[in-house]
Every structure is written in C-alpha cells, then in structure tokens.
C-alpha cells in the first residue's frame, strides 16, 4: 500500500519541477507555446516579404499595387504577431500564478508531513525567504520564458538556417564575429551557477540574522548588547551586497565585449559581401536580402540571451524548493492499514536520534531502548532532569517524529500503520511553547474543531477556566491575539491552548509542561480545566514541578535517554534514588 513518504517527488530538472508544480495548468503552458509559435511565424514572415519586395524593386518592377499588397500582408503579420504574443503571455501568466500558488501549497503541505525536528532545524528566515520572496521573484521569468525565450530562439535559428539556404558563404561571413562574442559570453557565464548559489547562501545568512536580531531585540536591549548584536547584522548585510558587487565586477568587461561585438554582423558581412558583389559572385538583390536578414536575426538572439541569468536564477530557486520537497517524510500510509482496538500506548525498544533538517546528518542518539506501557484511561507522568528525553518521548507518541528503531503502538497497532489524519484525530498535544495564530481568540480555539459553533467555543472557554479573562479583553472573543499570540501573556496563551485541546476532544492527551508559564493562582484554575479535559482519556504529562503529577497512576523517571525507575509516587519514594532526590529538592525549594 502506498504511503505519503513514497509520494515525495524525486529530484528534478528545472523543466521537471515546472511541470510537477504546474499540475492541472500544464495545458495552459501548452496553449501558450502554441500561440508563441504562431507569434514566431508571424514575426518571421515579414522578413521574407521584405526580402521579396527588395528583390522586385531591384529587378525593376514598378507595380504599386503589388507593393501595397505586400506591405498590407506585412502589416497583417505584424498585427498577428502582437495578438498571438499577447494571448501567449496572458496564458503563461495565468499558468505561472497558479504554479507559484501550487509551489507554496505543496511546500506547506510538505512541512506538515515532515518530522518536527526537520522543520525546527530549518531557519525560519530562510524558509520565509524561499516561500515568499524567492518564489515571487520567479514570476517574470516563468511567465515570459515560455513564449518569449522560446519564440526568440526559434526565430534566430530559422533566420540563420535561411541565410545558409540563400548563400552559405554570406552566412559564414555574418557569423565571423560571433565566436568573439560567444567567447566573451562564456567568460561572463563562467561559474555562474556556483556564484549565484553563493549569493543565495549569503542572502540566507542575512535573512536569518535579521530574524534572529528582531526576535531577540528584548534580550539585546535588556543586556545592553545592541551594538555587538547589530554588528553581526551589518557584517551579514555587507557580505550579502559584496558577493553581488564582486560578481558584477568580474562580468563587466566580458559583458561589454559580448554586447558590442555580437550584434556587429555587418562588420564582416559588408566587406566580404561587397567583395563578392564587385567580382560578380552574387547579385545585388541577394546581397541586400542577406543584409536585411542578418540585421534582423541577431536581435532575437540577444533578447533570448538576456533570459540566461533569469533561467539560472529560477534553476537555483527550484533547487532550494526541491531540497525541501525531497526531504524524508514521516512514514505514514494514506489509508489506515488497521485500526487500534483501544487507546492504550506501548513503546517497544524505542531508539531515537535527532537529525539535521536539510543536511540529514545524524546527531548523537537521545533515547536508548525505551519500553513502557500506558493502559487506556491511565494517567502517566514523565519526570527527570532537563535534557533527559521526556519531551522527546512525548513527541514520538504524538507522532511529531519517527523512531529510528523499535515501535510506538496505539491499541496494538503500530502508529506507522495509521494515516496522519487518523492519528491526529486521536491525539491532543499541548506544549509549553504553544503557538497562537494572528487572528481572534475565537478562531484560535476553533482550530481544535473547525465546525464548532460560537456557542460551543464559548462553552469550552468556560470549562477551561479562561472565559472571564477572555471577556475582559478589549473585544472579548473577537480580540486579535497578535503574531504568535504576542498580545497575551504566556499564561493566557497556555490557557487558550488548553481550551483548543479541549475543543478537539481527542481520546489521548499529552501535556508537555502545560502550566510552565502560570502563577500558582492560575495554575489551580488550569488544573481544574485539565481534569475536565482528560476525564476518561489516556493522559500523559511531562512536568518539572513534581507536586503537580504526584497523583499520577504511574511515573516514569527518565535519565540520559533511559528509564531510571517507574512506579507510583509512594513506590518511587520508597525505592529512593533519583526520584526521591528530585522530590526532596522540589519540596525544599517550594518550602523555602
């Protein structure tokens, strides 16, 4: 049975990524190409008509009706070129805007299927830059590369072939200066992909430094480190600009030579063609026709050449998008292979290591063979020193990561045999760093269940003990909480997150330091709301304050990625060891 992981696209070429993201709009790109070819045909035809007019003039023809008819046909071809080009670019723009939208949608969808650690290892500044600025910057390139690049390349090729058909000697005379221009272009394009990637890397550093500086502005001001912190941003900005300046400096002379020499086809054609004409090897009509076509042939080539940098840029950006789209996903099927018999949880010999997001290099193993059983409807707590692996175990149970080896089972079924949708419906996860979206309190709570009515939202707020404080806000439930909930305190954000989890009404509830930001008074309110939230459910709590979990059915003491001990509060105290030391330290600190 296929799974989401197998659907991750393999690495592709630029054209391959365009076709992949174009989706149902591929047809519009095809239509755009067809109209571009019609535009090319209408653009080429007048040159042949003009050549014929010149030949007739030189032969002595004075039939004005013939010339008027020919000029009228040229005008019609010109009008056709304009109309077909407009239709082509319109179609390509429509397809491109849909393509850019598809890229963002697929990237967002991809992020939801990645392990949490992979996403956290991606700098938010880089992600934002790729998904917004870089993707936007491809609009002009993708919208014009199909109709304009294609048509101008085809036009140049057709005209050059026609020159050789007319007279291969004159055609070679036209091409005599091209090698100089092409060599200059090669020097200009030398190391282009590597230079552009280097520029992108420096821009990433600049974006990440800017985001870090903005996010840490409170700490910077509090400790008076603004100058030192700002200096890193200044250095990143200078390096980001310098890489482009150096690149342009190295290209300026080759670019000047290429743009001056390449269009100068007449530089070699006129003397060679004049010599041949004077010695009777060609006639005047042929010579003038070749001159007209030579002047016309180079312009489309130069226009097409101007797209080279844009194509390289699009290739580099699609490379960045591709590096995210090809990341290893959570191993989950699209359809459930089996359904759990109940909501009990079993971990069997679980080993786990964090992995770097984009690089994929493995870090030191965090969990070393974890085995535990959590019966349905039980209340289980994970305790232990900071960094022992408590939250990691909870996140593995919440399916935010995949185990390296071993298994996590729900109701006797490996979670890798459950679809993400099925599993998400079974688990409500509340962490100490809960994220609120920049929308109303009501809509943040409703994220727990999208079809909840306003009355249901308000009832859940009452049950979770946050109704009164919500009503004290400026606009009550319609108050906008700000980016990441910045307009609320940490405790208020936590209480709304718990209300959101209550709205979800999942049979398995995981609370990771859910009262970390609350004062003792509000903690009592939250404890009551949590009691309502978990009634009859399988509850897992991670806590540093042992007094909040001493009534758990079972406590697991985690130390250095292994289970140090397990049992009830009284059993662990009787055993002594790490838990007893932690309890005595906790009680002593609380009394003090």
């Amino acid at each position: 049975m296929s799974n989401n992981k197998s659907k991750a696209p393999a690495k592709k070429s630029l054209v391959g990524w365009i076709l992949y993201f174009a989706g149902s709009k591929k047809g519009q790109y095809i239509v755009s190409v067809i109209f571009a070819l019609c535009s090319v045909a209408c653009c080429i035809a007048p040159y042949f008509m003009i050549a014929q007019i010149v030949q007739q003039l030189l032969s002595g023809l004075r039939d004005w009706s013939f010339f008027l008819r020919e000029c009228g046909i040229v005008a019609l071809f010109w009008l056709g070129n304009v109309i077909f080009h407009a239709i082509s670019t319109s179609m390509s723009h429509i397809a491109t805007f849909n393509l850019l939208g598809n890229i963002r949608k697929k990237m967002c969808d991809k992020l939801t299927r990645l392990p949490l650690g992979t996403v956290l290892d991606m700098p938010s500044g880089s992600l934002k830059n790729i998904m917004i600025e870089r993707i936007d910057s491809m609009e002009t390139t993708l919208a014009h590369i199909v109709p304009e690049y294609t048509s101008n390349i085809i036009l140049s090729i057709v005209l050059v072939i026609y020159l050789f058909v007319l007279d291969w000697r004159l055609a070679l005379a036209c091409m005599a200066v091209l090698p100089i221009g092409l060599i200059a272009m090669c020097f200009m394009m030398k190391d282009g992909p590597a230079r552009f990637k280097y520029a992108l890397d420096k821009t990433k550093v600049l974006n990440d430094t800017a985001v870090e500086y903005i996010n840490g502005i409170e700490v910077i001001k509090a400790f008076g480190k603004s100058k030192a912190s700002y200096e890193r941003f200044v250095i990143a900005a200078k390096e980001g600009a310098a890489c482009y300046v150096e690149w342009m400096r190295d290209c300026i002379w080759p670019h000047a030579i290429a743009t001056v020499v390449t269009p100068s086809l007449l530089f070699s054609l006129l003397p060679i063609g004049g010599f041949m004409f004077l010695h009777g090897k060609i006639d005047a009509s042929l010579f003038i026709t070749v001159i007209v076509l030579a002047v016309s042939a180079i312009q489309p080539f130069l226009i097409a050449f101007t797209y080279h940098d844009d194509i390289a840029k699009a290739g580099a950006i699609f490379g960045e998008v591709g590096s995210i789209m090809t990341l290893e996903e959570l191993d989950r099927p699209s359809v459930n292979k089996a359904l759990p018999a109940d909501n009990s949880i079993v971990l069997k010999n679980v080993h786990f290591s964090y992995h770097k997001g984009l690089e994929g290099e493995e870090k030191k193993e965090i969990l070393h063979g974890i085995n535990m059983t959590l019966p349905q409807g039980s209340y289980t707590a994970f305790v232990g020193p900071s960094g022992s692996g408590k939250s990691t175990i909870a996140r593995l149970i919440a399916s935010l990561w995949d185990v390296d080896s071993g298994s996590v089972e729900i109701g006797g079924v490996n979670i890798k045999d459950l679809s993400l949708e099925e599993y998400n419906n079974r688990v409500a996860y509340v962490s100490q760093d809960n994220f609120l979206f920049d929308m109303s309190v009501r809509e943040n709570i409703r994220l727990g269940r999208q079809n909840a009515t306003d009355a249901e939202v308000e009832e859940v707020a009452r049950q979770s003990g946050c109704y009164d404080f919500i009503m004290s806000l400026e606009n009550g439930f319609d108050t906008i909480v700000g980016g990441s909930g910045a307009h609320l305190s940490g405790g208020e954000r936590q209480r709304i997150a718990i209300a959101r989890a209550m709205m979800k009404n999942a049979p398995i509830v995981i609370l990771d330091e859910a009262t970390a930001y609350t004062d003792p008074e509000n903690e009592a309110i939250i404890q009551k709301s949590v009691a309502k939230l978990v009634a009859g459910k399988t509850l897992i709590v991670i806590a540093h304050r042992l007094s909040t979990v001493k009534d758990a059915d079972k406590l697991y003491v985690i130390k250095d990625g292994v289970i140090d001990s397990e049992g009830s509060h009284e059993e662990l105290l009787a055993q002594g060891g790490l838990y007893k030391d932690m309890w005595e330290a906790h009680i002593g600190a609380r009394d003090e």
Side-chain angles (χ1 to χ4, degrees):
M1 186 178 293
S2 63
N3 56 31
N4 289 336
K5 183 177 178 180
S6 64
K7 293 179 182 177
K11 291 186 176 179
K12 305 174 184 291
S13 64
L14 173 60
V15 174
W17 281 119
I18 291 175
L19 294 177
Y20 172 74
F21 287 117
S24 61
K25 301 300 179 180
K26 291 189 187 77
Q28 289 184 323
Y29 272 125
I30 294 173
V31 172
S32 174
V33 171
I34 292 174
F35 278 105
L37 291 175
C38 294
S39 175
V40 168
C42 290
C43 194
I44 292 174
Y47 295 116
F48 295 93
M49 304 294 295
I50 292 171
Q52 185 177 356
I53 290 173
V54 171
Q55 291 174 3
Q56 294 299 329
L57 283 172
L58 293 175
S59 66
L61 181 65
R62 294 295 182 269
D63 183 358
W64 289 105
S65 61
F66 169 80
F67 294 117
L68 288 174
R69 185 177 67 252
E70 294 294 300
C71 290
I73 295 174
V74 168
L76 289 176
F77 277 125
W78 175 84
L79 182 61
N81 173 49
V82 172
I83 293 173
F84 288 132
H85 179 270
I87 296 174
S88 176
T89 53
S90 296
M91 297 298 292
S92 66
H93 273 85
I94 294 171
T96 296
F97 283 122
N98 280 278
L99 181 145
L100 299 183
N102 285 339
I103 294 177
R104 292 193 174 102
K105 290 176 184 176
K106 288 181 180 293
M107 285 187 70
C108 288
D109 187 47
K110 177 73 176 184
L111 293 178
T112 65
R113 300 196 303 271
L114 292 177
L116 177 63
T118 303
V119 179
L120 293 179
D121 280 333
M122 300 178 192
S124 58
S126 296
L127 265 179
K128 175 257 183 187
N129 190 248
I130 292 172
M131 296 182 70
I132 306 299
E133 284 86 356
R134 295 209 196 289
I135 292 177
D136 262 347
S137 69
M138 292 194 295
E139 184 271 326
T140 301
T141 300
L142 295 179
H144 292 272
I145 190 174
V146 174
E148 296 181 15
Y149 180 81
T150 304
S151 62
N152 281 288
I153 284 291
I154 294 176
L155 176 58
S156 296
I157 293 173
V158 170
L159 289 177
V160 168
I161 292 173
Y162 187 55
L163 283 174
F164 276 93
V165 170
L166 290 176
D167 191 293
W168 64 270
R169 297 166 299 178
L170 292 178
L172 288 177
C174 292
M175 306 297 128
V177 297
L178 283 184
I180 300 174
L182 292 176
I183 291 172
M185 291 179 184
C186 289
F187 273 104
M188 186 172 61
M189 294 183 291
K190 181 184 177 183
D191 301 326
R195 284 178 178 270
F196 189 69
K197 185 179 184 306
Y198 177 73
L200 288 181
D201 291 340
K202 287 298 181 182
T203 305
K204 283 183 190 176
V205 172
L206 175 59
N207 276 281
D208 295 340
T209 305
V211 171
E212 180 185 10
Y213 181 80
I214 294 169
N215 289 339
I217 192 68
E218 182 178 356
V219 176
I220 292 170
K221 287 182 175 292
F223 290 92
K225 299 294 184 182
S226 57
K227 183 177 181 180
S229 302
Y230 188 69
E231 185 178 358
R232 290 184 58 238
F233 177 75
V234 171
I235 293 173
K238 287 181 178 179
E239 290 180 350
C243 62
Y244 285 102
V245 172
E246 291 172 4
W247 188 6
M248 294 303 104
R249 185 184 295 120
D250 291 341
C251 291
I252 189 168
W253 282 110
H255 181 267
I257 294 172
T259 53
V260 170
V261 174
T262 305
S264 306
L265 300 185
L266 298 182
F267 183 80
S268 53
L269 174 62
L270 290 179
I272 295 174
F275 177 83
M276 294 174 66
F277 173 72
L278 291 175
H279 288 78
K281 299 183 180 294
I282 58 173
D283 57 29
S285 63
L286 176 60
F287 189 22
I288 293 176
T289 299
V290 170
I291 291 174
V292 171
L293 294 179
V295 171
S296 305
I298 195 60
Q299 190 62 29
F301 173 77
L302 292 176
I303 293 174
F305 177 73
T306 61
Y307 285 103
H308 176 270
D309 286 344
D310 291 327
I311 294 172
K313 177 182 176 182
I317 295 172
F318 270 114
E320 290 185 316
V321 172
S323 68
I324 295 174
M325 295 300 299
T326 55
L327 286 172
E328 185 176 352
E329 301 175 2
L330 287 169
D331 188 7
R332 300 291 184 273
S334 56
V335 179
N336 299 316
K337 295 182 180 180
L339 288 176
D342 54 33
N343 294 301
S344 61
I345 302 170
V346 177
L347 277 69
K348 296 180 178 178
N349 195 30
V350 169
H351 291 258
F352 177 75
S353 303
Y354 289 110
H355 298 263
K356 276 290 183 183
L358 297 181
E359 291 81 9
E361 60 185 69
E362 190 169 311
K363 290 184 177 180
K364 181 180 178 181
E365 187 174 82
I366 303 299
L367 301 180
H368 320 289
I370 298 294
N371 292 281
M372 57 175 61
T373 300
L374 289 65
Q376 175 173 288
S378 63
Y379 171 14
T380 305
F382 300 157
V383 298
S386 296
S388 60
K390 306 183 299 297
S391 293
T392 301
I393 296 173
R395 287 169 177 172
L396 288 173
I397 295 174
S399 192
L400 300 179
W401 280 293
D402 267 337
V403 300
D404 293 341
S405 63
S407 65
V408 178
E409 297 181 359
I410 302 293
V413 177
N414 192 318
I415 65 172
K416 291 186 178 181
D417 293 333
L418 297 174
S419 68
L420 284 175
E421 181 179 3
E422 170 68 26
Y423 199 80
N424 289 336
N425 289 334
R426 288 180 174 269
V427 179
Y429 178 76
V430 182
S431 74
Q432 61 180 317
D433 297 314
N434 277 285
F435 184 88
L436 298 183
F437 290 91
D438 188 15
M439 52 190 184
S440 70
V441 173
R442 188 188 309 278
E443 293 306 314
N444 270 286
I445 296 176
R446 187 177 274 131
L447 287 174
R449 181 158 51 89
Q450 294 286 352
N451 60 353
T453 65
D454 289 350
E456 289 174 326
V457 170
E458 293 172 12
E459 179 59 27
V460 163
R462 287 188 178 92
Q463 293 177 8
S464 61
C466 57
Y467 181 85
D468 291 339
F469 103 76
I470 291 175
M471 294 305 296
S472 68
L473 298 174
E474 182 180 3
N475 297 308
F477 280 86
D478 296 318
T479 301
I480 303 300
V481 302
S484 303
H487 297 167
L488 304 178
S489 69
E492 290 171 340
R493 290 196 296 271
Q494 204 99 46
R495 292 160 71 180
I496 291 176
I498 291 174
R500 183 167 58 195
M502 290 182 70
M503 177 63 74
K504 187 174 183 180
N505 195 28
I508 298 172
V509 179
I510 302 173
L511 303 178
D512 186 355
E513 289 292 339
T515 59
Y517 295 124
T518 56
D519 52 43
E521 180 182 354
N522 285 321
E523 183 175 0
I525 298 175
I526 291 178
Q527 292 289 358
K528 291 180 181 178
S529 65
V530 167
K532 296 178 181 178
L533 168 64
V534 302
K537 304 179 188 298
T538 303
L539 172 64
I540 301 170
V541 176
I542 296 90
H544 285 294
R545 283 182 277 190
L546 300 184
S547 59
T548 63
V549 294
K550 66 184 182 63
D551 295 328
D553 300 328
K554 179 180 281 191
L555 294 97
Y556 284 93
V557 183
I558 314 298
K559 180 182 179 183
D560 297 330
V562 298
I563 298 175
D564 178 82
S565 55
E566 59 183 274
S568 67
H569 173 68
E570 291 77 13
E571 290 171 344
L572 290 172
L573 285 179
Q575 292 176 20
L578 177 60
Y579 182 81
K580 184 177 181 180
D581 294 340
M582 292 172 59
W583 176 257
E584 291 176 349
H586 169 67
I587 294 300
R590 189 178 64 176
D591 292 342
E592 184 176 344

